[in-house]
């Protein structure tokens, strides 16, 4: 049972029907939209949902499915039923287009039997006559006209018409040229047709100068359309052939109509099939638009919905670029009735209508806008009491109409019923309205029915808190900013925030204090306590969300730094192992050279010249070993504070220099002919005092001078595609060179992605005192994908 009779309008399902009508290709599908009904049979609902779900897959897959020529030819088929009737060329062409669409649909499903089993089931009762389609198709051209070869006689007649018309035009052309030469015709005229006969335009004053028959005149009367007597017989011949053509066309169309008449029953089935397909596709298009899904069945009575959205509200907000706050709500055997309270305009009524509309859509076989984990059940009865039902005709007040609804509800409600009541008990004196509402609620609880109720009455909140089978719910409210959050919280009652809203609107403190005194200290305290608890809970939830976001970011950074640390340790091991291998090779080579020289000295004995040469060879080997050893030497650090005049190097690098001045945590460092500002904590004191020579040796060893560095340096560093552990070493090297060479502005290309590289870059660069500012590049030149670094 559905109550009241205008339940669809109350829930807003009439708007859903209107949307579905717009998404149908023709009246074929629209007829089925008007037949949508609330069902209680699980098999029917499941079949409708699966059909729609399968069609959403067709649409989303991009597969080619016929989308045009779903033409309603029902009137044509009714015409065919009458004996001795025939369809016109235009009507046959409509029929042909429909046949081709049906043929394409059947061909599609014959190839996709395993992919769309429910939709394929729709094709099984159909009987399709390919011969009829071929018989009609071969007689019509692409413009919907009978072809010349539709019959041998028609071809002969049309050939005769063409021949006679050519002869007629030839004779008329000669007559027209003579008349133009004599000045009997207006300028720039040509042969035309009047009353189905070819004529020539002649000036009215010369109409008697040309023999023939007048078939009309121009609007001004200055020109007449004259059929010369010389072409009268030819025109008559053309007219007779045209009559013959019309008779042959009628004969052909009548024969084709007789063929169609034999297939009327099958063609009616084809029309129904196309209408159902058009209807299901409209439901699928709507389902995709609202993000609808085919939900899971709940084997027990009750439902559990996650992220439920009101479809009409969702579409309206979507056009405005806004989002709907999703609803999480459930009813079960233990919590059959949900009593929702909260401030006005807080979303209680929208919550109620969302429950009613989604349940109604589900039992009509429409996809519903909820999360895939949601579960639905079937209710045999759906009762609602929403809005003002004041009736002038029946002399009923608003409250009386509500009581009539409650009477009907109590007379039919049972464990298979779902009821939705908005603003329960309002419309009369609050003391008595609340008492009657509590009594009705008690009967509803005893009926084992399920429902959702919204109210402001404190006694109903208290009743729901104490009685088994009922549960309180509250629409959340931001007490700090005095604005609704539109989120439902189940398990506790909500405050109406009447005093707070009154204060926000601007009522005087005197008025508010007077209202408090009339309500009573206890009631005000309870309401304020509810409000404070709700506000505190809201703040706690916001804080929890922030903490979760930070924890996620921290976990990501921790993982990235762990990867980076592991990478650096592996790199260090590789470098040390390489150095050891090179040193061993060098040492072995030097030992071999020494042994060779000693052997030569022994063999030469007293030959002083050979001894001298061997000693020189040994000295060369020793120098080579010493130089290479110096290159491999690890610089030893020195203890003690770094002062002006100390020799230092940048940690982790070979760049070294002399301290010129110290300003707080910044050090001015002299590196060769250049000077640079470096953070004190990035320097270490070294024992070697040949810093300048070491710097020059290193630059020379690399084959790059300061001038070459300046020439080759680019102000744009591209690290897109690098792993997190590769970024910092590359970034440090780049920044050291930039600081050394004195560039003022740098561009770091890290891309947008998920923002990880951007965060690593900016976190690391924030430790550089030499940097004055970091910002995103202009949106036209890369935006957040590029960090622009301005140096001090």
């Amino acid at each position: 049972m559905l109550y009241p009779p205008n339940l669809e309008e109350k829930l807003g399902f009439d708007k859903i029907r209107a949307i579905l009508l717009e998404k149908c290709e023709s009246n074929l599908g629209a007829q089925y939209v008007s037949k949508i009904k609330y069902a209680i049979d699980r098999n029917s609902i499941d079949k409708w949902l699966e059909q729609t779900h399968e069609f959403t897959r067709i649409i989303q897959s991009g597969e080619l499915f016929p989308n045009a020529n779903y033409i309603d030819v029902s009137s044509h088929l009714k015409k065919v039923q009458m004996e001795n009737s025939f369809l016109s060329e235009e009507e046959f062409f409509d029929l042909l287009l429909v046949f081709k669409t049906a043929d394409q649909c059947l061909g599609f499903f014959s190839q996709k039997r395993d992919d769309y089993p429910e939709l394929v089931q729709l094709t099984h009762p159909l009987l399709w006559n390919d011969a009829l389609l071929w018989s009609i198709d071969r007689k019509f051209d692409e413009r919907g006209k009978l072809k010349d070869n539709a019959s041998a006689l028609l071809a002969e007649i049309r050939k005769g018409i063409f021949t006679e018309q050519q002869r007629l035009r030839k004779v008329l052309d000669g007559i027209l040229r003579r008349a133009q030469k004599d000045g009997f015709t207006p300028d720039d005229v040509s042969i035309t047709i009047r009353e189905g006969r070819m004529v020539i335009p002649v000036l009215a004053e010369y109409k008697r100068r040309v023999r023939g028959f007048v078939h009309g005149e121009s609007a001004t009367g200055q020109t007449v359309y004259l059929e010369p007597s010389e072409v009268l017989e030819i025109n008559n011949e053309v007219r007779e052939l045209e009559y013959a053509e019309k008779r042959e066309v009628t004969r052909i169309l009548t024969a084709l109509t007789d063929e169609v008449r034999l297939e009327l029953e099958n063609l009616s089935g084809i029309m129904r099939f196309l209408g159902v397909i058009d209807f299901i596709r409209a439901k699928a298009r709507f389902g995709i638009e609202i993000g609808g899904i085919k939900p899971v069945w709940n084997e027990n009575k009750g439902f559990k919905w996650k992220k439920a959205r009101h479809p009409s509200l969702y579409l309206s907000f979507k056009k405005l670029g806004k989002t709907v706050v999703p609803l999480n709500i459930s009813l079960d055997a233990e919590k059959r009735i949900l009593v929702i309270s909260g401030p006005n305009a807080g979303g209680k009524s929208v919550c109620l209508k969302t429950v009613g509309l989604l349940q109604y859509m589900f039992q009509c076989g429409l996809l519903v806008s909820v999360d895939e984990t949601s579960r639905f059940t079937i209710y045999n009865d759906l009762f609602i009491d929403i809005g003002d039902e004041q009736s002038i005709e029946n002399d009923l007040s608003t409250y009386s109409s509500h009581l009539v609804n409650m009477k009907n509800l109590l007379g039919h409600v049972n464990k298979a019923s779902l009821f939705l009541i908005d603003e329960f008990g309002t419309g009369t004196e609050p003391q008595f309205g609340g008492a009657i509402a509590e009594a009705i609620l008690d009967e509803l609880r005893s009926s084992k029915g399920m429902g959702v109720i919204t109210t402001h009455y404190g006694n109903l909140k208290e009743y729901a808190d104490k009685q088994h089978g009922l549960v309180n719910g509250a629409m959340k409210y931001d007490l700090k900013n005095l604005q609704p959050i539109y989120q439902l919280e189940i398990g506790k009652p909500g405050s109406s925030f009447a005093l707070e809203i009154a204060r926000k609107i601007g009522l005087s403190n005197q008025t508010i204090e007077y209202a408090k005194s009339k309500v009573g200290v206890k009631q005000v305290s309870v309401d304020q306590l509810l409000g404070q608890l709700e506000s505190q809970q809201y703040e706690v939830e916001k804080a929890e969300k922030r903490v979760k976001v930070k924890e996620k970011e921290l976990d990501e950074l921790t993982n990235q730094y762990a990867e980076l640390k592991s990478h650096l340790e592996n790199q260090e091991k590789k470098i040390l192992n390489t150095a050891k291998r090179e040193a061993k090779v060098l040492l072995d080579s030097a030992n071999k050279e020494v042994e060779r020289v000693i052997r030569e000295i022994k063999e030469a004995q007293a030959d002083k010249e050979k001894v001298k040469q061997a000693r020189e060879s040994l000295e060369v080997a020793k120098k080579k070993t010493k130089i290479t050893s110096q290159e491999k030497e690890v610089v030893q650090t020195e203890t003690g504070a770094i002062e002006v005049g100390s020799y230092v190097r940048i940690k982790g690098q070979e760049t070294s220099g002399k301290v010129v001045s110290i300003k707080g945590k910044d050090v001015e460092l002299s590196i060769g002919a250049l000077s640079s500002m470096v953070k004190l904590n990035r320097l270490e004191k070294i024992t070697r005092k040949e810093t300048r020579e070491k710097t020059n040796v290193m630059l020379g060893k690399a084959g790059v001078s300061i001038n070459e560095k300046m020439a080759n340096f680019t102000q744009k560093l591209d690290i897109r595609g690098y792993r997190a552990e590769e970024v910092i070493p590359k970034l440090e090297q780049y920044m050291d060179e930039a600081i050394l060479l004195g560039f003022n502005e740098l561009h770091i290309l890290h891309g947008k992605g998920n923002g990880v590289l951007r965060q690593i870059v900016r976190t690391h660069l924030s430790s550089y005192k030499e940097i004055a500012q970091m910002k995103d590049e202009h949106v036209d030149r890369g935006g957040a994908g590029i960090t622009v670094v301005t140096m001090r």
Side-chain angles (χ1 to χ4, degrees):
M1 178 180 178
L2 300 177
Y3 184 86
N6 63 341
L7 179 141
E8 285 195 1
E9 290 75 15
K10 287 286 186 179
L11 291 178
F13 190 76
D14 55 331
K15 296 179 180 178
I16 304 300
R17 285 189 192 269
I19 295 173
L20 291 173
L21 285 173
E22 293 176 357
K23 297 191 178 300
C24 290
E25 290 291 332
S26 74
N27 189 48
L28 292 176
Q31 294 174 1
Y32 286 91
V33 172
S34 63
K35 296 177 183 178
I36 294 176
K37 63 180 181 179
Y38 183 88
I40 59 175
D41 176 56
R42 174 168 176 169
N43 292 332
S44 297
I45 297 171
D46 214 18
K47 180 179 70 175
W48 297 338
L49 289 170
E50 183 58 27
Q51 288 172 347
T52 309
H53 175 62
E54 287 183 359
F55 218 113
T56 61
R57 287 165 44 210
I58 292 176
I59 296 173
Q60 292 171 337
S61 69
E63 294 180 279
L64 296 177
F65 189 88
N67 287 324
N69 298 321
Y70 286 77
I71 305 169
D72 186 1
V73 294
S74 302
S75 59
H76 303 355
L77 297 182
K78 288 180 181 178
K79 185 177 179 181
V80 172
Q81 290 177 349
M82 296 182 291
E83 292 292 336
N84 301 321
S85 64
F86 65 91
L87 298 177
S88 66
E89 289 178 287
E90 293 77 10
E91 290 170 333
F92 257 115
F93 193 58
D94 286 345
L95 208 60
L96 180 60
L97 293 176
V98 170
F99 289 172
K100 287 185 176 180
T101 299
D103 188 51
Q104 292 168 1
C105 290
L106 294 174
F108 178 89
F109 288 125
S110 68
Q111 297 176 3
K112 304 286 184 178
R113 292 187 177 278
D114 296 332
D115 296 333
Y116 309 111
E118 280 296 332
L119 292 174
V120 169
Q121 285 291 328
L122 297 173
T123 68
H124 287 172
L126 299 179
L127 295 176
W128 180 244
N129 189 340
D130 289 323
L132 177 60
L133 173 59
W134 179 82
S135 179
I136 298 174
D137 189 32
R138 70 187 180 90
K139 288 182 172 60
F140 285 87
D141 61 20
E142 64 278 1
R143 297 176 294 110
K145 299 297 181 181
L146 278 173
K147 296 178 181 178
D148 293 347
N149 62 359
S151 74
L153 180 57
L154 183 62
E156 183 180 346
I157 293 172
R158 287 182 175 176
K159 182 178 179 182
I161 292 173
F162 177 76
T163 301
E164 290 301 315
Q165 285 179 339
Q166 290 295 100
R167 185 162 72 93
L168 176 61
R169 186 174 292 277
K170 184 177 180 181
V171 175
L172 277 177
D173 281 339
I175 296 172
L176 182 60
R177 282 196 298 270
R178 289 196 301 273
Q180 286 175 323
K181 184 178 180 181
D182 294 336
F184 297 160
T185 65
D187 296 333
D188 300 326
V189 296
S190 61
I191 297 171
T192 185
I193 295 177
R194 284 292 183 273
E195 298 177 0
R197 303 174 77 89
M198 285 190 183
V199 297
I200 60 173
V202 177
L203 293 171
E205 61 264 32
Y206 298 115
K207 64 182 179 181
R208 299 189 184 280
R209 305 288 294 273
V210 180
R211 288 193 307 156
F213 299 91
V214 175
H215 288 277
E217 63 180 10
S218 65
T220 61
Q222 295 179 355
T223 303
V224 296
Y225 299 100
L226 188 142
E227 178 184 7
S229 56
E230 294 94 326
V231 299
L232 179 62
E233 290 300 325
I234 304 175
N235 259 328
N236 287 340
E237 182 66 26
V238 171
R239 178 60 64 90
E240 289 179 7
L241 287 171
E242 288 175 345
Y243 287 146
E245 179 191 25
K246 186 175 181 181
R247 287 193 298 272
E248 179 61 13
V249 167
T250 299
R251 187 194 68 79
I252 295 171
L253 293 178
T254 301
L256 285 176
T257 303
D258 291 341
E259 291 185 45
V260 172
R261 189 175 293 113
L262 297 174
E263 297 290 333
L264 269 179
E265 186 175 350
N266 294 336
L267 294 179
S268 298
I270 291 293
M271 294 300 297
R272 288 192 296 272
F273 168 73
L274 291 179
V276 171
I277 288 296
D278 190 21
F279 170 59
I280 294 173
R281 175 172 46 205
K283 292 196 295 181
R285 288 170 173 170
F286 174 65
I288 292 172
E289 192 171 13
I290 64 171
I293 58 119
K294 176 192 173 185
V296 178
W297 286 94
N298 192 6
E299 298 304 326
N300 301 318
K301 275 295 177 183
F303 60 80
K304 185 177 183 180
W305 300 350
K306 293 184 178 180
K307 297 182 180 179
R309 302 179 302 276
H310 190 288
S312 301
L313 191 63
Y314 172 78
L315 293 178
S316 299
F317 275 31
K318 191 176 181 181
K319 291 179 182 178
L320 300 174
K322 300 163 64 178
T323 56
V324 174
V325 178
L327 174 70
N328 296 324
I329 187 170
S330 62
L331 294 178
D332 54 39
E334 297 299 318
K335 299 175 181 178
R336 299 189 306 275
I337 301 176
L338 173 63
V339 179
I340 302 177
S341 51
N344 287 320
K348 298 191 302 297
S349 296
V350 173
C351 173
L352 203 71
K353 289 182 179 181
T354 301
V355 172
L357 182 57
L358 289 180
Q359 185 65 38
Y360 196 87
M361 286 172 57
F362 169 73
Q363 292 192 227
C364 287
L366 297 178
L367 303 183
V368 284
S369 48
V370 296
D371 185 76
E372 292 180 350
T373 59
S374 300
R375 283 171 168 73
F376 279 69
T377 192
I378 290 177
Y379 292 101
N380 295 344
D381 309 306
L382 182 57
F383 300 93
I384 65 167
D385 182 33
I386 300 175
D388 186 353
E389 290 293 332
Q390 187 175 28
S391 173
I392 297 175
E393 292 79 4
N394 296 325
D395 194 26
L396 292 176
S397 67
T398 300
Y399 185 65
S400 297
S401 67
H402 286 313
L403 289 181
V404 169
N405 290 339
M406 293 303 101
K407 175 186 174 183
N408 284 294
L409 170 59
L410 293 174
H412 295 89
V413 66
N414 55 62
K415 62 182 181 180
S417 303
L418 176 66
F419 53 85
L420 308 170
I421 306 173
D422 193 27
E423 300 294 349
F424 195 28
T426 57
T428 188
E429 185 178 348
Q431 183 178 356
F432 293 101
I436 293 174
E438 185 175 332
I440 294 173
L441 184 57
D442 186 66
E443 289 193 48
L444 291 174
R445 182 181 68 85
S446 301
S447 71
K448 305 298 182 182
M450 291 187 172
V452 180
I453 293 172
T454 68
T455 186
H456 288 285
Y457 286 151
N459 66 309
L460 299 184
K461 303 177 195 178
E462 186 176 352
Y463 180 84
D465 188 54
K466 294 179 178 178
Q467 297 296 327
H468 177 74
L470 279 75
V471 62
N472 271 306
M475 299 305 299
K476 292 185 178 181
Y477 194 77
D478 184 356
L479 185 59
K480 182 178 180 181
N481 299 307
L482 289 179
Q483 61 184 17
I485 304 172
Y486 305 114
Q487 289 181 353
L488 172 65
E489 182 181 11
I490 297 177
K492 72 177 186 63
S495 169
S496 296
F497 297 100
L499 297 176
E500 290 79 0
I501 294 174
R503 185 175 286 109
K504 179 185 179 182
I505 290 174
L507 290 183
S508 66
N509 289 333
Q510 180 181 355
T511 302
I512 294 172
E513 290 302 322
Y514 181 79
K516 283 184 179 181
S517 66
K518 299 301 291 181
V519 172
V521 176
K522 179 181 178 182
Q523 183 63 37
V524 172
S525 300
V526 170
D527 199 63
Q528 287 181 341
L529 181 60
L530 282 174
Q532 291 171 3
L533 288 173
E534 188 168 334
S535 177
Q536 290 173 3
Q537 183 175 1
Y538 177 61
E539 293 298 327
V540 168
E541 288 176 354
K542 288 202 300 184
E544 286 180 351
K545 289 180 181 178
R546 290 195 298 268
V547 169
K548 287 181 180 178
V549 171
K550 293 295 182 183
E551 286 179 348
K552 184 178 179 182
E553 293 176 354
L554 182 60
D555 289 341
E556 290 178 355
L557 287 174
T558 301
N559 292 334
Q560 291 164 7
Y561 286 132
E563 292 176 2
L564 179 59
K565 181 175 180 293
S566 175
H567 174 75
L568 292 176
E569 290 175 349
N570 291 335
Q571 289 294 105
E572 183 181 6
K573 290 178 181 179
K574 289 180 181 178
I575 293 171
L576 289 174
N577 290 334
T578 301
K580 289 178 180 179
R581 286 196 300 270
E582 291 177 355
K584 186 175 184 303
V585 170
L586 181 63
L587 185 60
D588 291 344
S589 176
N591 288 336
K592 289 179 181 179
E593 182 66 18
V594 171
E595 291 175 357
R596 186 186 65 78
V597 171
I598 292 172
R599 188 170 58 254
E600 287 183 358
I601 292 174
K602 287 181 178 180
E603 291 174 354
Q605 292 180 353
D607 191 336
K608 293 182 179 181
E609 188 62 30
K610 287 187 176 182
V611 172
K612 183 179 179 182
Q613 291 176 357
R615 289 185 180 278
E616 289 176 354
S617 177
L618 184 59
E619 287 298 323
V620 170
K622 288 170 67 178
K623 289 179 179 179
K624 182 178 178 182
T625 304
K626 182 178 180 182
I627 292 172
T628 308
S629 176
Q630 288 174 344
E631 291 176 354
K632 296 294 180 181
E633 177 184 358
V634 178
V635 178
Q636 298 295 321
T637 59
E638 187 178 40
T639 58
I642 296 176
E643 301 171 343
V644 175
S646 298
Y647 288 91
V648 294
R649 74 165 182 174
I650 299 175
K651 294 178 181 178
Q653 299 185 27
E654 296 183 355
T655 304
S656 60
K658 184 177 181 181
V659 176
V660 177
S661 65
I662 301 176
K663 299 176 182 178
K665 295 183 179 180
D666 296 329
V667 176
E668 183 179 358
L669 190 63
S670 174
I671 306 172
L674 301 175
S675 63
S676 177
M677 297 299 294
V678 183
K679 278 191 173 183
L680 181 61
N681 61 3
R682 298 187 64 228
L683 300 175
E684 59 184 355
K685 194 173 183 181
I686 58 176
T687 57
R688 296 189 59 191
K689 295 184 180 180
E690 295 82 5
T691 306
R692 181 174 299 177
E693 289 78 359
K694 176 176 176 55
T695 302
N696 291 335
V697 168
M698 289 171 57
L699 290 174
K701 180 177 68 175
V704 181
S705 67
I706 293 294
N707 292 333
E708 286 175 322
K709 274 186 174 290
M710 180 68 77
N712 294 329
F713 187 81
T714 174
Q715 290 178 260
K716 187 177 290 185
L717 174 64
D718 190 349
I719 57 172
R720 291 174 296 180
Y722 282 82
R723 296 193 302 273
E725 64 270 12
E726 298 173 328
V727 170
I728 292 180
K730 189 172 184 66
L731 192 60
E732 285 185 341
Q733 180 182 353
Y734 178 76
M735 289 302 300
D736 288 340
E737 290 186 6
I739 294 169
L740 179 67
L741 300 175
F743 282 92
N744 294 324
E745 186 175 276
L746 309 170
H747 295 75
I748 314 297
L749 280 70
H750 42 64
K752 297 179 181 178
N754 56 13
V756 174
L757 282 181
R758 178 177 181 270
Q759 185 176 359
I760 290 175
V761 167
R762 295 202 175 183
T763 300
H764 184 71
L765 292 184
S766 63
S767 64
Y768 282 78
K769 193 70 174 179
E770 297 84 357
I771 295 176
Q773 182 186 23
M774 289 183 288
K775 64 180 181 179
D776 290 343
E777 179 60 279
H778 189 277
V779 67
D780 293 337
R781 297 189 292 272
I786 302 175
T787 294
V788 179
V789 180
T790 304
M791 309 299 289
R792 294 187 185 280

